[in-house]
């Protein structure tokens, strides 16, 4: 009797020449088109132009019609959509099967999707059903024009190197990208494109939704925030974040943190900035007690002005900051708060006096 188990991955060989076109799965969530999906039209356009093919946006949902032109304004050549009331409730299986039906019909060579909660859930389901493989969390793309192989670029675990990944045997080549890794392409309302409605056999979900409720918080998500005050391990405790919150409230910002601050339980994971957190595009990013590891810096590539506050003058964050303050945050932050409050009060008094005059 054999003691070892042999695994054999069998699949039908495919003819790569039958697969053409670059697709971007364009999510609609809570009746809004996902900005993270539209951002993918940026690399999507570059890839499609290089290999001389069309860029297609795919939309699935119960009410998608009012969004159909947006992908075209942002660079898509075509929109293919499925609108059906049975898609009102998202489940990975039902959405995944709908996307699968479209892929099997049209045979795109590349499918990109945003690494949102839904993207991270349903795209691997689709990739696995097609035995296509998937590269998650890509940070850049290129394409081999000769073979039409997509070069999917991402940092490997823990390293500052970059991995260049290909899937030369299978189609479609599938990849997810976290929000804000790419900038939104320029919006141009004069662009024209084709819109195709598709009808697909939508499967019955295996789970029934009994009750659902959106918990909407007042807090702005960090990926959308204009001003961020971000804390790291240098804060020493959760108490330090209370100080950052006070500063953030004064300047109408939100609080975020490094992975070390998340690991310590001082701030929730959805507020983590970096490679395994979120990428931000704030106009002002204040990094407090954050050393500036490559994985953190990755998340602030799109931040406009970076201010670093760190006790160590040699901390790498200073090399990536526009302004640096060397010192203990317990001294610097209260001083900043005091000065901002003082200036705000002066302004209030000035306004009062000019009203009285
Ligand atoms: C696969 C992988 C993915 C990762 N993903 C992420 C990610 O998404 N985001 C992320 O942030 N990290 C990520 N990391 C971790 C990353 O490598 C660093 O370990 C982390 O960013 C360090 O966090 P930190 O700067 O808060 O802590 P530290 O590196 O410990 O830095 C603390 C800083 O605080 C300063 N300091 C200390 N006391 C004070 C004080 N009183 N006042 C002012 N400054 C002070 C110190 O001088 C120091 O520079 C990842 C790592 C791996 C391996």
């Amino acid at each position: 009797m054999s003691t070892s188990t042999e695994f054999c991955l069998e699949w039908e060989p495919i003819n790569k020449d039958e697969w053409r076109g670059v697709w971007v799965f364009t999510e609609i969530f809570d009746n809004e088109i996902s900005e993270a999906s539209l951002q993918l039209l940026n690399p999507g356009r570059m890839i499609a132009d290089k290999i001389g093919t069309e860029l297609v946006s795919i939309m699935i949902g119960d009410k998608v019609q009012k969004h159909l032109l947006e992908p075209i304004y942002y660079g898509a050549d075509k929109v293919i959509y499925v609108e059906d009331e049975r898609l009102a409730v998202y489940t990975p299986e039902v959405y995944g099967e709908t996307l699968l039906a479209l892929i099997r019909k049209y045979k795109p060579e590349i499918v990109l999707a945003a690494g949102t909660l839904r993207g991270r859930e349903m795209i691997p389901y689709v990739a696995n059903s097609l035995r296509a493989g998937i590269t998650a969390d890509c940070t850049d793309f290129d394409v081999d024009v000769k073979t039409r192989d997509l070069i999917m670029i991402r940092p490997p675990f823990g390293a500052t190197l970059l991995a260049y990944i290909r899937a030369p045997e299978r189609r479609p080549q599938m990849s997810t990208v976290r929000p804000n890794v790419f900038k939104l392409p320029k919006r141009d309302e004069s662009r024209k494109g084709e819109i195709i409605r598709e009808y697909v056999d939508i499967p019955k979900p295996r789970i029934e939704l009994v009750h659902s409720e959106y918990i909407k918080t007042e807090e702005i998500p960090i990926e959308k925030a204009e001003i961020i005050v971000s804390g790291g391990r240098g804060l020493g405790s959760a108490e330090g974040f209370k100080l950052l919150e006070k500063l953030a409230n004064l300047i109408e910002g939100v609080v975020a943190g490094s992975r070390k601050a998340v690991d310590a339980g001082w701030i929730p994971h959805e507020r983590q900035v970096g490679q395994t957190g979120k990428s931000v595009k704030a106009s002002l990013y204040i990094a407090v007690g954050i050393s500036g590891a490559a994985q953190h810096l990755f998340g602030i590539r799109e931040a406009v002005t970076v201010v670093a506050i760190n006790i160590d003058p040699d901390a790498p964050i200073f090399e990536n900051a526009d302004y640096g303050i060397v010192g203990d945050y317990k001294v610097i932050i209260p001083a900043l708060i005091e000065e901002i409050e003082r200036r705000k009060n002066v302004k209030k008094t000035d306004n009062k006096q000019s009203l009285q005059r």
Side-chain angles (χ1 to χ4, degrees):
M1 199 177 88
S2 165
T3 50
S4 69
T5 313
E6 279 183 22
F7 290 100
C8 179
L9 289 173
E10 276 181 21
W11 50 59
E12 290 281 307
I14 56 153
N15 177 4
K16 289 201 309 189
D17 292 337
E18 288 175 358
W19 298 73
R20 286 293 180 263
V22 177
W23 280 17
V24 170
F25 176 66
T26 310
E27 247 181 79
I28 312 284
F29 184 76
D30 205 9
N31 273 327
E32 293 210 11
I33 195 161
S34 141
E35 191 176 322
S37 305
L38 293 174
Q39 289 165 351
L40 295 186
L41 293 168
N42 196 342
R45 184 72 270 163
M46 177 276 290
I47 298 161
D49 289 345
K50 270 196 171 178
I51 52 175
T53 191
E54 60 184 7
L55 176 61
V56 183
S57 158
I58 303 298
M59 287 198 199
I60 292 173
D62 65 326
K63 287 187 195 102
V64 297
Q65 293 209 12
K66 70 170 181 174
H67 303 292
L68 295 176
L69 289 174
E70 277 311 298
I72 291 172
Y73 293 159
Y74 281 105
D77 301 308
K78 192 187 268 180
V79 172
I80 300 175
Y81 75 100
V82 179
E83 185 173 274
D84 193 301
E85 59 189 20
R86 287 169 294 176
L87 294 165
V89 173
Y90 162 81
T91 65
E93 181 198 357
V94 171
Y95 268 57
E97 287 296 333
T98 306
L99 181 57
L100 269 169
L102 295 176
I103 291 176
R104 287 190 175 118
K105 175 169 178 183
Y106 286 92
K107 297 193 160 98
E109 58 204 300
I110 291 166
V111 177
L112 307 179
T116 55
L117 286 176
R118 285 187 182 183
R120 296 171 84 80
E121 191 174 48
M122 65 174 271
I123 298 299
Y125 174 93
V126 173
N128 186 46
S129 306
L130 294 162
R131 297 282 183 266
I134 184 169
T135 306
D137 298 341
C138 285
T139 55
D140 210 349
F141 295 103
D142 201 353
V143 66
D144 181 335
V145 179
K146 236 171 156 186
T147 59
R148 303 176 79 91
D149 285 348
L150 180 65
I151 318 288
M152 298 171 274
I153 305 169
R154 57 153 294 157
F157 294 107
T160 46
L161 306 161
L162 287 175
Y164 289 63
I165 299 162
R166 289 177 192 239
E169 307 279 326
R170 305 296 299 168
R171 292 294 183 264
Q173 303 160 89
M174 300 188 70
S175 186
T176 59
V177 179
R178 284 174 185 252
N180 291 339
V181 169
F182 292 97
K183 281 200 175 113
L184 260 186
K186 225 173 138 246
R187 190 172 184 279
D188 175 1
E189 286 198 15
S190 69
R191 287 195 87 259
K192 303 262 179 290
E194 194 183 348
I195 295 175
I196 300 174
R197 182 169 189 171
E198 274 294 342
Y199 296 87
V200 165
D201 255 348
I202 294 164
K204 245 180 129 209
R206 279 186 293 180
I207 52 165
E208 189 190 342
L209 186 71
V210 182
H211 174 74
S212 83
E213 204 174 314
Y214 280 128
I215 303 170
K216 283 206 172 174
T217 60
E218 291 303 312
E219 263 191 350
I220 303 165
I222 60 168
E223 63 274 28
K224 293 200 173 149
E226 275 295 311
I227 299 176
I228 297 177
V229 184
S230 190
R233 180 153 61 180
L235 295 195
S237 69
E239 278 303 298
F241 272 93
K242 294 212 172 117
L243 209 51
L244 298 201
E245 249 163 51
K246 196 168 174 196
L247 175 62
N249 286 339
L250 265 180
I251 55 177
E252 290 170 26
V254 301
V255 171
S258 72
R259 176 153 146 185
K260 292 288 174 196
V262 171
D263 289 348
W266 302 338
I267 187 149
H269 180 254
E270 72 260 19
R271 307 233 134 224
Q272 180 185 316
V273 175
Q275 185 188 319
T276 43
K278 289 178 174 170
S279 290
V280 298
K281 49 178 185 176
S283 315
L284 176 62
Y285 185 82
I286 307 178
V288 188
I290 293 176
S291 60
Q295 295 88 358
H296 188 83
L297 296 177
F298 176 80
I300 59 172
R301 288 180 314 169
E302 298 295 334
V304 181
T305 302
V306 176
V307 178
I309 301 171
N310 199 300
I311 207 162
D312 174 7
D314 296 323
I317 188 81
F318 287 127
E319 280 167 36
N320 295 277
D322 300 283
Y323 300 94
I325 305 173
V326 178
D328 188 336
Y329 85 92
K330 288 187 194 131
V331 178
I332 312 276
I333 302 289
L336 272 175
I337 291 173
E338 199 184 314
E339 182 59 19
I340 294 166
E341 279 176 339
R342 191 186 66 76
R343 290 189 187 200
K344 282 194 164 185
N345 285 336
V346 169
K347 225 172 162 186
K348 264 192 214 153
T349 324
D350 285 352
N351 285 345
K352 228 178 179 176
Q353 280 170 357
S354 64
L355 276 175
Q356 280 166 355
R357 255 182 246 138

